[in-house]
Amino acid sequence: MVGWEQTMNAKTNELLRACRDKLQADAKEATVRLRAALAQQELPAEAVAKAAQTAAKSLELAVGRQMEGLQDYTTTRQRDINRGLQPQILERMKAAYAAARDAPGGKGRFERMQEKMKGGAEVGMKDMFKELTDKMLADIFEFIQALKERVAAVCEAAYKLLNDIFSACWTCEDAAAESADTREDVRRARDEAIGGLAPLRQGVP
């Protein structure tokens, strides 16, 4: 089982690193698009530039930190899945252990213990492989679903962070734009640029 755990950890961490890189790239692209869109509106250029700079640094750090936390989570969860099989194996083998322990003493006791263990193992192992496999697959499926939800939460947090940082720009729209038409242009530019973060909000399929 250790080999399975190592293989699963390596592959999961590889996928998480790729996911981290993709999220950071998407966040960077959304920041650039949002800055460009807002620059075309009557908003303070200095405020837009400062927000873009803050967003770029904050998003990279936040996404990287949260994805590192997910790697720790996957390592722990996969170890728990692996260890969760041991109690079932021990339970199935209890009768064999007891039979070997109670083997008659005297000459040839070791051989009799071996026979008891062999016979008990054959009985205990019957259908056990399928049961353990079914349990492990169910645990892995549950783990994958939980991981998808956690990645989606990272995406939503990135979207919220970007929105919060740039909100300093569009809360100035009343002062920067006097007409209703201009204010609507600002809102449209904001929504269009933030649309670039749609993949972050949706998370993984």
Side-chain angles (χ1 to χ4, degrees):
M1 292 299 179
V2 174
W4 164 83
E5 185 180 340
Q6 291 176 342
T7 301
M8 189 74 170
N9 275 336
K11 189 60 179 179
T12 304
N13 286 334
E14 177 187 338
L15 293 173
L16 285 175
R17 286 192 295 270
C19 183
R20 176 203 62 201
D21 293 344
K22 181 64 166 61
L23 291 179
Q24 288 177 330
D26 285 348
K28 183 177 181 180
E29 180 183 355
T31 301
V32 171
R33 290 180 57 189
L34 188 51
R35 179 178 182 175
L38 294 178
Q40 298 176 9
Q41 308 303 322
E42 295 181 15
L43 292 174
E46 184 178 350
V48 173
K50 183 176 180 180
Q53 185 179 24
T54 301
K57 293 180 179 179
S58 299
L59 283 169
E60 183 176 7
L61 290 174
V63 171
R65 185 168 55 248
Q66 291 180 64
M67 294 304 290
E68 284 180 7
L70 279 185
Q71 287 184 317
D72 293 338
Y73 163 75
T74 60
T75 298
T76 300
R77 185 68 187 97
Q78 287 169 159
R79 183 171 60 243
D80 291 343
I81 291 174
N82 187 32
R83 291 178 177 176
L85 301 177
Q86 296 175 6
Q88 287 186 281
I89 296 174
L90 291 175
E91 183 64 30
R92 281 293 194 123
M93 293 299 295
K94 273 185 179 180
Y97 296 147
R101 181 195 62 210
D102 298 335
K107 186 178 180 179
R109 184 171 189 267
F110 181 71
E111 287 75 13
R112 287 191 290 275
M113 291 178 66
Q114 284 185 315
E115 286 299 318
K116 293 290 186 180
M117 277 296 298
K118 181 180 179 181
E122 290 176 352
V123 173
M125 294 293 289
K126 185 179 181 181
D127 297 327
M128 186 172 68
F129 179 78
K130 183 179 185 305
E131 291 178 11
L132 293 179
T133 301
D134 289 345
K135 181 183 185 305
M136 186 169 67
L137 290 176
D139 287 342
I140 291 175
F141 178 78
E142 180 182 347
F143 160 65
I144 291 173
Q145 293 299 115
L147 189 58
K148 289 169 65 175
E149 292 174 3
R150 288 170 182 255
V151 171
V154 174
C155 299
E156 186 62 31
Y159 174 86
K160 184 177 184 302
L161 179 61
L162 185 62
N163 188 76
D164 289 346
I165 291 173
F166 273 99
S167 65
C169 298
W170 50 72
T171 52
C172 298
E173 61 184 76
D174 285 335
E178 297 180 357
S179 71
D181 290 342
T182 305
R183 288 196 296 271
E184 181 60 30
D185 288 341
V186 172
R187 294 191 187 95
R188 187 162 47 249
R190 174 196 66 190
D191 295 340
E192 178 183 348
I194 282 195
L197 265 187
L200 296 185
R201 300 192 73 184
Q202 296 170 359
V204 292

